[in-house]
Every structure is written in structure tokens, then in C-alpha cells.
Amino acid sequence: MAATKTHKTVRQSPPLDLLHHGLVAALLAMPLAIWLSGALVYHAPWAADSLNDISTYQVTMWAVPPLWATVVSLAFLAPSKRVLWAALLTGNALVWGLLRAVQA
Amino acid sequence: MKAATLRNYLSVHTWTGILAGTLLFIAFYAGALSMFVPEITHWSRAEPARNNASQDGDALVAAFFAAHPSIENATLVLPSESNTAPLMRWGPRGTTPQQVELDAQGQLRPVAAPAGEAGRFVDYLHRKGGLPLALDSAEPVIGLIALLYALALISGVVVLLPSLVKDLFVLRIGRNAKRMWLDLHNLLGVASLPFHVVMALSAAVFCLHDWIYAAQGTLIYPQGLRSVTARTQPQRPPVTLDRTAWRNPTQLVRDAAHAVPGFSASAIEYRGLGTPKASAFMAGTDDAHFKRRPREGFAVLDPATGALVQNNAAPGQGSAMARAVVSFFALHFGSYGGMPVRLLYAVLGVMGAMLFYTGNVLWIESRSKRLRQRPGVMEQPRHVRAIAAINLGASLGCVAGISLALVAARWLGATPLAPDTVLHSTYYATFTACLAWALVRGAQQATVGLLAFAALATALIPLTSAIIPLVASLAPWAQVLDKPYTNGLAWVDGLSVAGAALLAATAWITHRQTGRHRSTPTSQTDFATPALN
């Protein structure tokens, strides 16, 4: 058991993997967070009455950093590079679809 | 949670922390002081005597409009603790403004405008994280640092969760230095977590909003951002160009207080003068509500009718969305609840600076400890020594630099030297000297001296306040430096006394600890990193 553990620590290089995870997540979380901000705030059904309000598009902008940070933080749960890419690309596609659906 | 997952989050926490920590220390320490921007400005600048200035703001505005009919924007600053009589200010943004007041005979006369404001200098240090760059260049850097900081917060909480209940209120002060620093770091972090979440996310927005708006204009607004902003412009009837038919400032202040209960005006900025879109942006306080700026909210009035034409930044007014936006700003600025909240924010700001200092020390301790376990390794490697010295030198250099910059600005206020030059050169010279001293001597050797130096520099602030009245009575040149002692000046002096005492006590404790461990080689002592808390 102990031997396996040591073996794993030697073979994996967590900082490098994490750098890849971090950079990919930081990049792909951007469009995701922006589409999500549009879907959840500006184009959401509950904001329909406040589109002429100067503050609505400001709140939509304020929503981006918390959404971005949440997505990037969750990305470190992805056990491999393949899962990470798949999850983020699927997430982007789903959120883009959601935005299109609420805009329609 | 799996051990491997925890280990990954610990790595994320460590690396985001070490990349952002030192800049965040400066941003937080200067940010804590920026809770007192007007008081710091008032404390450090030479203020012209305003002998026999008229208190009639209405007459001042009327005389100003008659004398300067073509100026588009001008601000009436109402009397306050740091402004004894109303004055009219105008000029392009980013340049030294022109100012006039009325004399006792009702004639306009110029008032020398300050060429630099120490409070604004401290605020800019806060917004730039101390980087010697233009604000526009520094802000994107700080925005990215704020995002790293948000990740450090989330990953730090994830790492702490499994042992949260067990470790939170335990502070193990003893021979295990790393344990002590970790306990302190956790306690500071958890105790002020909501404050840090607010700061990280709002700082990211303040610095990166242009980029985010641009991306949203492309990705979520099919007709672009401009079409979205255009539909939010309030429609109102044109304003008469005859300014003699407008409401005077006293009436406008009353109109605003009527429309926005609890609103107490401090300045009226006339915008769009000479156009049918003219408006009166009235700045004012109301401690019972969130405010859009560090001290003030805004009520926008029609200057001819006194009608409230825009309420989205007026304290306690506006739609739910408007109140949400104002709350985001106010939570960052601490602009609610008045002085008690400002003091709380100043304490939380200093605690935040300590969080980053302790985080960096943990990084250094972990590496030192790991290396100490290797046979034959007698001292810290060069990069660990460099990080330790930078952490110490930059932190105490910032503390000492700000204190000395304020003192220099006050004493040199009577000379032709521009206050901005004095502030910048004193701060960066002190900062660089402290950093160089720490790098040359090493963190271990430089700590006590730098702490004592920072304590002395900070103590010079109240000492200056005590000495200047004495000098002013003896030397005519020093008379312009003296000023009536107000509550605002007492806050600056009082907080500096507290800061200097804290720094001096830390220097003394560290000196005794270093003495106790002097016989042990650096690489083996458990207090390899000096205490600074």
C-alpha cells in the first residue's frame, strides 16, 4: 500500500497537471461565465420587466467573476485532462444553448 | 473527500497565494488606510487661509455662472470640517483644478488648489497594489491578482473544511513555528472570510469591468452593448438655458432632502452647462443606507425644477437592481454605518494584510522544514531566502513608506516642491530601501530593524501633529503648516499611535525571541521565520 502510494507520487507531477487544469479552466470558464451571466440575469424571465433599468446590465456584469471563480474551482475536481476538457466544453455548449433558449 | 483532491486544492491554494500574496498585502494595508482618505488628505496638506470668505453658496454660484458662462462642468463644494467656506471648482479631469470663493464684498477670488492629495495617493497605492505604473496599466494586473485571490480563498476553504471544527479556535504557540503560523493563518482567514469574498470579487469587477463588458457585448447582447445602454437613458424635458431661472443651491439641497429622505448634501456638480441636458449631480451622505462611493451617494436633479431625474445611486432609493449594484460598491468601500464600519473595515484590512503575510511565511516554513529533514542541508535555498526577504521587505517597506510619505508631505507643504512628487518619491525610496535591506541582510537578520523603523516612521505622524504648532509659533514659514485640530486629524493621529505601538511591541517580542534562539543555527531553529504579528 505504502509502496503504491510512493510510486504514484513519484510518477505524477501534480503541479504540472494543476497548471494545465488551471490554465484550461481559466480560459474556458470565461465564455461559460459570460453566457451564464446572460442566461441567469439579463435574458432571464425574471429580469424581463427591468431591461430599461440602467442597473440590470450592470448586475449582469457583476455576476461574471463569481461564476468564473466557481467554475475554475470546480475544474480541479476533474480527475484527468480528458475529463476536464470534456466537462468544460460540454458545459460551454449547454450554457450557450440555455442562453439561446431564454433569449428566444 | 479524497486525500488526493485535498492535496490538489492545497497546491492551488499555495501557488495562487504565493503569486498574489505580496501585492495583496500592499493593496490591503493601503486599503485599510484608504478608509480615511479625506482625513489623511486634510492631515497632510498645507491649506491656504480662507480669511473673510463668504458663506453664501447661492451668491457664489450666481457670480460664477455670470463670470464663466461657457464652462460646461463645475462643482460647488459645500462647507465641511476640512473646507471652511463654499468654493467652486472646475477644470479637466486629471489636472489640478481651478477654484474660486467669494470674499466678504461678494467678489470672486481664486483659492489655491492642492497640487496633490495624500489621501488619493494612498487610495491609488491600494488600487495599484503599490505597482509603480499608471492606474490604467496596473488595474488589469490587479484584476487578475484578484481572480487568483478568489481561487486561493475557495481552495483554502476546501483544504480547511475537514479539520475546521478541530483546528479553528486553536492557536498553538510554541516551538513548532509552522503549526503556529498555520493556526494564525486559518483563524485570520475564517474570521474574515465573508469580507475577503466580497473584496476578491468586487476588486475583480473594478479592475476588469471594461473587458467583461466588451466580452458581453459580443457574446450575450445580439445588438451589442451600446444598444443595451441606449435604452436605459432616462428621458426628460429639456432644461432652460437661462440659469437665473434655476433653483439656487440652497433650494436644490432642500429638493434633494425632500426626494431622498436622510440625504445630506456635501457637493453639487453641475454637468452639461450650456446645454438642454444640464443636470445637478448632488453628492451626499446618509449613514443609514449603502452608498455608491466611499463616502457619498448621488441624487441627480434637474437644476431648473429641482425634480429628481435619476435615483439609481441615491442612498436607499432606486429599483431592486439599482440597490443591488449600490450594495456591491458599498460592501467594498465600507460606505454604510458611518465611522464604526469604517474602523471595522480598517481592522479587517490590516487583518487581511496579515493573512497574506502569514500565508507567505507558511510557504517559506514548509519548504524550510522539508529541506531541514534532508541530511546535509544546512540552510534555506536561495529562492526561499529571496521570497522570505521580499515578503518582509515589501510588507514593512509599504508600512514605513506610507507613514514617511505623509510626514514628508506635511513638512514640505510650505516649499515649492509638488506634493505629489514628495509623496511618490518618499514612498518608493523608503519601500526600495526596506526591500534592499531585507534582501541584503536576509529576513532573519532584518526583521527587528525593519519593524523598529516602521514603528518610528508611523510614530512620526502624531509627533508631527504635536510639534508643528510649537514650530509655527516660533518660525513664520511654518505657519501655513499649522491648522485647527479637528476630529479627522485626531483619527489620523490616534490610529497612527495604535499602529506604531503594535509595530514597536512586535519588534520587541521578535527581538527577545531572536535572542533566545541566537545560539541555534538558522537552519535548525524552529523560529527560522521571525514572528511578525
Side-chain angles (χ1 to χ4, degrees):
Chain A
M1 178 83 181
T4 328
K5 216 174 177 182
T6 320
H7 185 62
K8 264 190 172 174
T9 331
V10 171
R11 277 190 57 184
Q12 282 185 351
S13 54
L16 284 183
D17 277 351
L18 290 179
L19 186 64
H20 173 269
H21 265 57
L23 289 176
V24 170
L27 210 64
L28 291 183
M30 262 181 224
L32 200 160
I34 284 169
W35 280 320
L36 201 53
S37 73
L40 295 182
V41 190
Y42 193 82
H43 296 291
W46 48 82
D49 294 337
S50 48
L51 295 187
N52 291 334
D53 186 340
I54 191 169
S55 307
T56 307
Y57 79 88
Q58 293 173 344
V59 173
T60 312
M61 188 273 292
W62 275 87
V64 172
L67 290 169
W68 180 91
T70 309
V71 175
V72 177
S73 303
L74 289 173
F76 292 104
L77 291 173
S80 67
K81 290 180 184 176
R82 188 177 294 178
V83 175
L84 175 78
W85 278 91
L88 283 169
L89 290 174
T90 315
N92 269 296
L94 285 175
V95 169
W96 183 80
L98 178 68
L99 176 67
R100 284 279 164 265
V102 292
Q103 265 179 328
Chain B
M1 201 177 293
K2 280 188 201 161
T5 313
L6 276 181
R7 214 167 38 238
N8 283 340
Y9 277 96
L10 181 60
S11 286
V12 172
H13 183 70
T14 305
W15 286 106
T16 47
I18 200 73
L19 282 172
T22 305
L23 278 181
L24 287 175
F25 179 99
I26 297 171
F28 267 71
Y29 183 73
L33 299 193
S34 77
M35 298 314 298
F36 299 93
V37 163
E39 288 81 7
I40 289 173
T41 295
H42 182 45
W43 185 92
S44 61
R45 75 182 175 193
E47 286 169 351
R50 310 269 302 276
N51 298 330
N52 304 320
S54 163
Q55 292 293 329
D56 191 344
D58 298 348
L60 170 64
V61 169
F64 178 82
F65 283 161
H68 301 279
S70 57
I71 287 174
E72 283 185 18
N73 288 349
T75 304
L76 169 70
V77 185
L78 295 166
S80 66
E81 193 179 75
S82 56
N83 179 43
T84 52
L87 56 79
M88 207 71 189
R89 176 184 295 164
W90 75 100
R93 198 175 277 268
T95 60
T96 304
Q98 300 190 62
Q99 299 186 144
V100 287
E101 64 183 359
L102 276 190
D103 62 17
Q105 285 71 45
Q107 299 299 310
L108 289 174
R109 69 176 178 198
V111 180
E117 294 184 357
R120 198 174 59 188
F121 170 74
V122 171
D123 186 47
Y124 274 35
L125 273 184
H126 159 64
R127 291 162 68 180
K128 298 194 287 189
L131 292 173
L133 300 171
L135 189 63
D136 287 349
S137 317
E139 275 191 334
V141 179
I142 300 299
L144 297 176
I145 292 285
L147 290 176
L148 284 177
Y149 164 35
L151 293 182
L153 285 176
I154 299 172
S155 52
V157 171
V158 171
V159 170
L160 188 62
L161 275 178
S163 63
L164 184 64
V165 178
K166 185 161 62 75
D167 283 352
L168 181 57
F169 293 109
V170 185
L171 192 55
R172 282 157 286 203
I173 300 170
R175 288 188 60 78
N176 185 341
K178 192 192 162 198
R179 188 77 247 175
M180 182 195 77
W181 286 112
L182 183 61
D183 288 344
L184 185 61
H185 185 72
N186 289 346
L187 183 61
L188 285 170
V190 174
S192 48
L193 185 64
F195 174 78
H196 283 280
V197 171
V198 164
M199 290 303 153
L201 297 175
S202 53
V205 167
F206 290 163
C207 296
L208 302 174
H209 63 268
D210 284 346
W211 293 4
I212 301 174
Y213 274 133
Q216 286 183 324
T218 311
L219 294 178
I220 64 171
Y221 300 122
Q223 279 86 40
L225 186 66
R226 194 161 289 182
S227 68
V228 173
T229 55
R231 64 191 291 184
T232 64
Q233 297 304 318
Q235 299 298 319
R236 63 186 175 104
V239 178
T240 172
L241 297 180
D242 177 14
R243 290 181 220 172
T244 56
W246 285 6
R247 308 279 286 168
N248 65 35
T250 307
Q251 291 167 327
L252 285 174
V253 167
R254 223 169 20 231
D255 294 337
H258 184 69
V260 184
F263 188 74
S264 167
S266 54
I268 305 174
E269 183 183 354
Y270 291 93
R271 294 188 185 176
L273 290 169
T275 74
K277 287 185 173 176
S279 52
F281 274 70
M282 192 173 298
T285 59
D286 174 5
D287 286 341
H289 292 102
F290 285 136
K291 290 186 289 287
R292 173 70 172 67
R293 287 225 179 135
R295 295 286 170 106
E296 291 140 344
F298 292 94
V300 185
L301 276 68
D302 181 321
T305 64
L308 185 69
V309 293
Q310 205 176 316
N311 67 354
N312 63 318
Q317 302 288 307
S319 64
M321 286 285 186
R323 288 177 190 224
V325 171
V326 167
S327 76
F328 301 151
F329 281 91
L331 285 171
H332 185 100
F333 296 144
S335 54
Y336 53 95
M339 188 52 90
V341 174
R342 274 199 286 281
L343 273 176
L344 176 69
Y345 265 57
V347 171
L348 285 167
V350 173
M351 279 171 64
M354 289 312 308
L355 179 71
F356 307 124
Y357 184 86
T358 53
N360 285 357
V361 167
L362 273 173
W363 186 91
I364 297 157
E365 281 300 321
S366 312
R367 265 140 200 84
S368 306
K369 198 169 185 176
R370 209 177 295 160
L371 286 159
R372 255 177 258 145
Q373 287 160 358
R374 286 193 200 161
V377 176
M378 286 308 288
E379 58 177 21
Q380 294 172 332
R382 189 182 293 169
H383 72 281
V384 176
R385 286 205 307 270
I387 295 277
I390 290 169
N391 189 34
L392 181 82
S395 304
L396 290 174
C398 167
V399 174
I402 292 178
S403 297
L404 281 187
L406 300 187
V407 171
R410 180 79 183 266
W411 280 104
L412 298 176
T415 66
L417 286 170
D420 260 343
T421 313
V422 172
L423 287 162
H424 277 86
S425 46
T426 313
Y427 173 79
Y428 284 108
T430 312
F431 179 83
T432 313
C434 290
L435 192 58
W437 181 252
L439 284 165
V440 170
R441 298 274 292 167
Q444 179 78 7
Q445 301 296 320
T447 307
V448 175
L450 284 178
L451 277 167
F453 176 61
L456 179 68
T458 309
L460 287 178
I461 291 175
L463 279 174
T464 297
S465 285
I467 292 169
I468 277 186
L470 301 175
V471 180
S473 62
L474 300 172
W477 63 266
Q479 279 169 11
V480 285
L481 304 178
D482 198 14
K483 59 187 84 179
Y485 203 70
T486 57
N487 286 339
L489 301 184
W491 278 114
V492 175
D493 289 332
L495 289 169
S496 303
V497 168
L502 203 65
L503 287 161
T506 314
W508 175 244
I509 293 167
T510 314
H511 173 68
R512 285 181 49 189
Q513 273 172 0
T514 338
R516 202 177 301 154
H517 292 272
R518 195 165 287 155
S519 54
T520 325
T522 312
S523 57
Q524 287 163 26
T525 166
D526 284 324
F527 274 94
T529 306
L532 173 62
N533 64 310

